[in-house]
Amino acid sequence: MKLWDKGFNTDKKIDYFTVGNDRELDLVLAKYDVIASKTHAKMLGKVGLITEVESKALISELDAIAKSIEKGDFTIEETFEDMHSKIEFLLIEKLGDTGKKIHTARSRNDQVLVAMHLYLKEELTEIKSQVKLLFNKLLLLAEKHQKVLLPGYTHLQIAMPSSFGLWFSAYAESLIDDLFFVQAAYKIADQNPLGSVAGYGSSFPIDRSFTTKDMGFNTMKYNVVAAQMGRGKVEKATAFGISSIAGTLSKLAMDITLYMSQNFDFISFPDELTTGSSIMPHKKNPDVFELIRAKCNKIQAIPNQLTLITNNLPSGYHRDLQLVKEIIVPALQDMKACIELMTFSLNEVKVKKDILEDPKYDYLFSVDTLNEMVKTGIPFRDAYKTMGKAIENGNFKPKKDIDHSHEGSLGNLCLDMIKAKMKNL
């Protein structure tokens, strides 16, 4: 069954090529198509395009379909092109001619648009909640280990003293930046496109203000052509949001894999969070973090994929836009899994103390030792040259009782200020 069926059959190869994996993806989106269809049925009854009895019958049957989706009983067989055709078939099967009226004043185009907007709003809200849980975990670790020193690196060379407090809270505050992108994506998704129909509106006297309020959108996408042009754009905005989170998680995962290695040996995890080797009995591999890194790097490619599909399309609908669904839906699932696994794993992280007691880290204190000379009145450039010669001649004696007190330094992490920033999101 196809919603555009005119009584003739298309070749099976064409069907396979054009439908692709829409049925599988639509099982994820069907819930939102039902939500939008219920609102549409209410609106059709409100403006008199169908009777009140017909409206209530449609809503009742859509509620039954929603329950079957929730239970996992809803299926889209190969005889149906997508979720829209299956849902409409079920309505017609139960309600006859009344079921056929559900498509009045709408198109598959705005059906997909509104379902995707509702889906993305819910997914972005869930991801935001997950990020906040990870944020809280990182801040707890920062507070717990704030006095434990850690080497800081530039160019992968030892640079200056850091701390686990500084390291954990750095990633916490970075997540705030990521949520700014997520918030922007949510605002774009929080616009109702229903009523744009095939992209040029309808001659029926529909009430878009009603559907906007009924579905909980903040506003509508007023211009119907602009609403249609939002296909691909809302997905790309979402992709930028999650790719920002993915960038932070990928960097954190990379740090963890380095810090777990024997050459660094700064942190460890229980055996159950590592994997072994088929031939090397000593191995405890950080596979979880390597996969988080890889999956997050894949996610960071999503905005570019979506750009390449949508960037040269003129206004109006094009079948190219069907492909954005198969890119963004799996990416969102991967993103949630990566955040969840990172939060779960960090519950078990073990931090090594007294790392900087090893003499190879003495040069970390060169800047602080230099600064002590400057405090006595020696010009910085002269002190720098003196310190450089001492290091070159092997006479450097580090001053390890360092005192960093300014905002955001290892002696003043400003954790409460970072928490306050997150509260505003």
Side-chain angles (χ1 to χ4, degrees), residues 152-382:
Y153 295 86
T154 61
H155 308 277
L156 272 182
Q157 306 290 307
I158 57 171
M160 291 180 67
S162 181
S163 69
F164 280 103
L166 204 58
W167 182 60
F168 284 124
S169 59
Y171 281 104
E173 192 165 8
S174 291
L175 288 171
I176 296 173
D177 296 341
D178 301 332
L179 287 189
F180 290 149
F181 284 96
V182 171
Q183 289 282 75
Y186 185 90
K187 284 188 176 182
I188 292 170
D190 201 16
Q191 303 174 92
N192 176 27
L194 187 61
S196 57
V197 199
Y200 299 95
S202 173
S203 59
F204 290 114
I206 58 176
D207 188 342
R208 296 191 66 208
S209 294
F210 171 83
T211 59
T212 299
K213 184 177 180 181
D214 194 68
M215 285 185 287
F217 284 103
N218 181 58
T219 186
M220 74 175 76
K221 204 65 174 283
Y222 289 97
N223 185 293
V224 291
V225 177
Q228 185 55 243
M229 289 196 298
R231 183 88 183 271
K233 191 172 188 178
V234 67
E235 290 89 348
K236 188 160 73 168
T238 298
F240 276 115
I242 64 173
S243 70
S244 186
I245 300 169
T248 300
L249 261 62
S250 177
K251 188 181 289 289
L252 176 55
M254 182 64 201
D255 275 0
I256 290 171
T257 56
L258 280 176
Y259 292 176
M260 284 178 68
S261 72
Q262 291 89 341
N263 289 1
F264 286 79
D265 193 26
F266 300 159
I267 59 175
S268 63
F269 289 87
D271 290 351
E272 56 266 26
L273 288 178
T274 63
T275 60
S277 162
S278 62
I279 62 169
M280 293 173 281
H282 67 282
K283 293 296 291 293
K284 292 183 179 180
N285 299 322
D287 285 25
V288 168
F289 302 103
E290 290 172 339
L291 286 171
I292 288 173
R293 182 176 61 197
K295 286 176 181 289
C296 284
N297 289 341
K298 278 180 63 181
I299 289 168
Q300 289 179 85
I302 300 299
N304 193 46
Q305 282 184 273
L306 294 173
T307 297
L308 290 173
I309 290 172
T310 61
N311 69 345
N312 62 346
L313 298 180
S315 60
Y317 175 74
H318 310 276
R319 195 63 182 262
D320 314 49
L321 295 167
Q322 177 181 325
L323 301 186
V324 302
K325 192 183 346 180
E326 68 185 41
I327 295 172
I328 196 64
V329 172
L332 285 164
Q333 307 315 309
D334 279 346
M335 185 77 268
K336 290 190 294 183
C338 287
I339 300 169
E340 183 181 358
L341 262 293
M342 181 63 80
T343 307
F344 174 78
S345 299
L346 285 175
N347 284 323
E348 304 297 331
V349 66
K350 292 179 175 61
V351 165
K352 185 176 179 180
K353 304 184 189 305
D354 303 321
I355 297 169
L356 300 195
E357 294 303 311
D358 190 320
K360 70 184 176 186
Y361 295 121
D362 282 357
Y363 289 140
L364 286 168
F365 300 94
S366 68
V367 176
D368 292 283
T369 308
L370 164 64
N371 289 348
E372 288 302 309
M373 295 172 64
V374 173
K375 287 177 184 178
T376 67
I378 301 174
F380 177 84
R381 190 50 59 198
D382 291 341

Side-chain angles (χ1 to χ4, degrees), residues 411-425:
N412 183 7
L413 295 177
C414 297
L415 299 184
D416 288 340
M417 302 301 178
I418 296 172
K419 286 178 189 175
K421 265 207 235 180
M422 181 59 93
K423 280 184 181 177
N424 293 326
L425 288 171

Side-chain angles (χ1 to χ4, degrees), residues 14-57:
I14 299 297
D15 275 353
Y16 182 80
F17 185 75
T18 55
V19 173
N21 61 351
D22 255 21
R23 298 183 190 95
E24 181 182 345
L25 295 167
D26 278 1
L27 289 175
V28 176
L29 296 173
K31 165 187 171 181
Y32 307 95
D33 191 51
V34 169
I35 291 170
S37 293
K38 282 179 62 179
T39 290
H40 188 68
K42 289 180 194 176
M43 185 276 296
L44 291 177
K46 179 178 178 291
V47 301
L49 287 172
I50 61 177
T51 67
E52 186 177 342
V53 171
E54 289 172 324
S55 177
K56 287 181 178 178

Side-chain angles (χ1 to χ4, degrees), residues 126-149:
E126 186 176 343
I127 285 171
K128 182 178 174 181
S129 296
Q130 283 188 313
V131 168
K132 287 190 171 186
L133 288 174
L134 176 56
F135 171 88
N136 290 336
K137 171 53 62 180
L138 288 165
L139 278 193
L140 282 172
L141 290 167
E143 193 165 3
K144 180 179 179 182
H145 303 294
Q146 60 183 301
K147 296 184 185 293
V148 182
L149 294 182

Side-chain angles (χ1 to χ4, degrees), residues 74-92:
F74 180 81
T75 57
I76 304 173
E77 296 82 358
E78 288 189 8
T79 48
F80 298 97
E81 188 174 15
D82 50 31
M83 61 182 171
H84 315 297
S85 53
K86 177 61 184 287
I87 291 169
E88 187 167 319
F89 169 83
L90 293 173
L91 292 175
I92 294 169

